[in-house]
Amino acid sequence: MSLQDLAWLAMAAYAVHIMEEHTFDWRNWARGVIGLPVEWADFYVTNAVVIAIGIAQAQLAPTVPLIPLTFAALMLINAVFFHILPVIRTKGRFSPGLVTAVVLFLPLGTAIFMKAAEEGHLDFATGLCAFIGGALLMAYPVVMLHLKAKPYFQQAEK
């Protein structure tokens, strides 16, 4: 399988992951377990952007391998920090998205890194940039959720 094939599979895996999160009420889990002030509209917009990024990274995989590596890092970070560790921390409370995080994100994210290494596209600096980019992509909507409650960002007329 090519890096691009794996990138397309990663995008499809993210779509299935979103379905799992929605089905098992990720919004209320996120509010109760990790304290995110999230609404369903936030979930929909954020995940629409993730799908757009997923399509772009798959298209760019042959010419810019850093992009699918960043998407793979986002998947790995999401799986570990937003699904696996919260389940451990809460002594087994189910995290919506856990199944796809373990069954799809971990193997596909790892496979993308392995394929990039096999093709000579992965060195320490590239891997580091990919994980920094993945962490920034993961953090961006979380930061935005916290900022939107600040008075400076309120758009209601006074």
Side-chain angles (χ1 to χ4, degrees):
M1 229 182 264
S2 71
L3 183 60
Q4 186 170 39
D5 293 336
L6 290 169
W8 278 113
L9 283 175
M11 196 283 306
Y14 225 114
V16 174
H17 179 73
I18 292 165
M19 241 174 49
E20 180 189 351
E21 286 183 331
H22 184 267
T23 299
F24 295 112
D25 197 9
W26 181 85
R27 176 198 169 262
N28 283 327
W29 175 88
R31 287 172 153 230
V33 175
I34 57 177
L36 271 182
V38 65
E39 297 296 338
W40 279 117
D42 304 314
F43 177 87
Y44 300 139
V45 170
T46 298
N47 283 297
V49 170
V50 169
I51 293 301
I53 292 169
I55 293 167
Q57 63 89 31
Q59 285 289 101
L60 293 168
T63 55
V64 190
L66 175 61
I67 305 299
L69 285 167
T70 301
F71 195 76
L74 169 70
M75 292 170 63
L76 294 169
I77 290 165
N78 185 326
V80 172
F81 293 99
F82 286 83
H83 295 289
I84 296 167
L85 288 178
V87 168
I88 293 167
R89 199 189 80 216
T90 61
K91 296 174 179 46
R93 180 175 176 181
F94 179 71
S95 164
L98 176 67
V99 174
T100 50
V102 171
V103 173
L104 299 176
F105 280 21
L106 293 180
L108 274 169
T110 302
I112 288 169
F113 273 88
M114 290 173 60
K115 187 62 170 180
E118 176 187 309
E119 293 180 355
H121 301 300
L122 182 62
D123 56 22
F124 178 78
T126 303
L128 181 62
C129 286
F131 272 94
I132 290 170
L136 290 172
L137 283 172
M138 193 77 234
Y140 184 68
V142 174
V143 169
M144 297 292 278
L145 282 172
H146 289 289
L147 285 177
K148 79 177 190 177
K150 304 289 183 202
Y152 180 77
F153 297 102
Q154 298 297 307
Q155 301 303 319
E157 291 186 41
K158 296 179 182 191

